[in-house]
Amino acid sequence: MKKIALFSTLLILILSSCETYKPQIVQSEQIFQAGQVPFKQCHASTIQPIGKDSLLAAWFGGTHESNPDVVIWSSLYSHGQWQAPVQIADGILNDTRYPTWNPVLYQYPNSDTLSLYYKIGPNPREWKGYVKYSLDKGNSWSASQQLPEGILGPIKNKPLTLANGLLLSPSSTESKEEIWKAHLEISRDHGNSWSVSAISPDTTIQVIQPSVIQHADGRIQVLCRSKENKVMATFSTDQGLTWGPWQATNLLNPNSATDAIRLKNGLLMIVFNPAIAGNDWWEGRTKLHVALSKDGLQWKNVLTLEDGAKNDEYSYPTIVQDAKGLIHITYTWNRKSIKHIVLK
């Protein structure tokens, strides 16, 4: 009876802390300064904890998005500071240079191998998925490998490895007819082979760039950028093999990327642009907010990261929680730098 009472007390304390939890910014900085790097623009960052006190961030950078000189850059955070960016991948294929896109860093649980997924191609309708590996925490990388035909890799946000080892990689496609579809790429052998799980393929809902999270009850949820002016969600009860209908969350979405995770305290956290779409694709990206949720559908704004003016762009956030419980967010800062925020 004492054990039951103790468990009940702990559960009440945990639930109470979730009710009152409000994230606070404990660190805010640009990874590099504009003019101090050999590229004019940058976008689409990713971040990964490395060891106990280090971080590795990556992004694409060049003259401008889709220019053939755009390559993948990375920076290591060590001993309290970000190191100078270094190039870690390019888009040269058979002596032809293509732009690179959307790097995603991911490390399998209990593995020393760090994966860098990214895309090569003239545009998101024709790109192909590639991967590199590092065994020394991102100091050096293997040669690039093209993923199997039809497999793009995680399109923007991190994969999720379930307790049984099943890897769920959130991906999507954009057709030449501008049709958007989301799917999962599933691996049972640490990425050596893949299968594809289409997410509500017959719907007219247009979505890309999923985040994938697992709820405490085992359900899998994806949250997507959309053309619907809302962040869209759907759920799976069989580990991502089949999916329910798309549901609109209460979060606005101006056709801009988001990212979401489940925190160690059980709450869900998302970083998003709180606006609707404008006449041009870049409109609606001047503000960047953080919201919390219990169910993944109803969210509460809890923090403003950016509150900019017209023509500012704060976009493409990525989010991860480290072993100490600190939350790391990176995002595009006016295409001139990548900003790193730490929350507790």
Side-chain angles (χ1 to χ4, degrees):
M1 292 295 292
K2 290 183 178 179
K3 289 183 178 180
I4 294 175
L6 178 61
F7 176 78
S8 299
T9 301
L10 289 173
L11 183 60
I12 290 171
L13 289 173
I14 291 171
L15 291 174
S16 176
S17 66
C18 289
E19 290 285 349
T20 59
Y21 171 65
K22 182 175 174 61
Q24 298 177 354
I25 296 175
V26 296
Q27 187 173 334
S28 175
E29 61 190 334
Q30 292 180 28
I31 292 179
F32 52 87
Q33 298 297 316
Q36 298 178 346
V37 289
F39 48 85
K40 293 182 179 179
Q41 291 192 4
C42 57
H43 192 41
S45 62
T46 179
I47 190 167
Q48 174 67 36
I50 302 292
K52 292 183 178 180
D53 299 304
S54 298
L55 302 161
L56 189 69
W59 59 90
F60 70 70
T63 302
H64 58 77
E65 179 177 331
S66 80
N67 199 65
D69 69 355
V70 170
V71 297
I72 307 298
W73 297 85
S74 77
S75 178
L76 177 68
Y77 181 85
S78 181
H79 302 294
Q81 64 181 8
W82 288 99
Q83 298 179 6
V86 296
Q87 180 182 323
I88 58 173
D90 62 39
I92 298 175
L93 300 174
N94 300 322
D95 298 324
T96 300
R97 179 180 286 275
Y98 298 95
T100 60
W101 308 77
N102 296 16
V104 177
L105 292 167
Y106 185 68
Q107 192 159 2
Y108 292 97
N110 305 314
S111 171
D112 293 328
T113 301
L114 179 64
S115 302
L116 169 69
Y117 294 97
Y118 61 106
K119 273 62 69 184
I120 298 176
N123 55 64
R125 293 156 295 284
E126 299 176 87
W127 62 22
K128 303 287 186 180
Y130 287 78
V131 64
K132 285 188 169 191
Y133 302 102
S134 176
L135 299 176
D136 56 9
K137 301 180 180 180
N139 287 304
S140 63
W141 292 91
S142 70
S144 63
Q145 301 176 29
Q146 184 177 345
L147 294 170
E149 191 65 31
I151 301 298
L152 292 171
I155 219 68
K156 178 203 165 287
N157 298 320
K158 287 185 184 296
L160 173 69
T161 299
L162 306 183
N164 63 3
L166 196 68
L167 176 72
L168 307 179
S169 176
S171 196
S172 57
T173 56
E174 304 174 47
S175 73
K176 293 181 179 179
E177 295 75 31
E178 297 295 332
I179 302 299
W180 290 5
K181 296 290 184 183
H183 66 273
L184 285 189
E185 296 170 352
I186 300 175
S187 178
R188 292 169 171 79
D189 53 11
H190 279 208
N192 290 312
S193 62
W194 300 88
S195 61
V196 173
S197 170
I199 303 177
S200 301
D202 297 328
T203 183
T204 58
I205 300 295
Q206 302 246 20
V207 291
I208 53 171
Q209 299 172 346
S211 298
V212 57
I213 53 180
Q214 185 174 36
H215 287 251
D217 61 8
R219 287 178 304 149
I220 305 299
Q221 180 183 8
V222 295
L223 291 141
C224 287
R225 168 184 178 176
S226 82
K227 295 183 181 180
E228 315 300 318
N229 283 320
K230 293 281 189 176
V231 175
M232 300 298 294
T234 183
F235 295 85
S236 170
T237 58
D238 55 10
Q239 299 188 325
L241 297 179
T242 60
W243 296 88
W246 287 106
Q247 302 179 61
T249 71
N250 66 327
L251 297 172
L252 298 178
N253 183 249
N255 180 15
S256 185
T258 68
D259 196 13
I261 60 170
R262 181 180 167 208
L263 301 175
K264 296 181 187 298
N265 64 13
L267 291 174
L268 309 181
M269 177 177 281
I270 193 169
V271 189
F272 70 108
N273 298 112
I276 62 173
N279 293 327
D280 294 303
W281 62 264
W282 62 81
E283 293 187 69
R285 300 183 179 191
T286 59
K287 302 178 188 294
L288 193 65
H289 287 189
V290 175
L292 294 174
S293 177
K294 293 180 181 178
D295 65 3
L297 293 174
Q298 297 301 310
W299 296 80
K300 180 181 179 181
N301 267 309
V302 292
L303 189 62
T304 297
L305 299 180
E306 299 284 356
D307 187 9
K310 185 178 180 180
N311 297 323
D312 283 339
E313 182 186 348
Y314 309 111
S315 65
Y316 269 60
T318 187
I319 179 172
V320 67
Q321 189 170 28
D322 67 21
K324 296 179 179 178
L326 293 175
I327 300 159
H328 298 271
I329 299 169
T330 62
Y331 55 90
T332 297
W333 190 89
N334 279 326
R335 302 268 173 159
K336 300 300 183 183
S337 186
I338 302 299
K339 196 164 185 180
H340 173 223
I341 301 284
V342 184
L343 308 180
K344 68 174 184 178

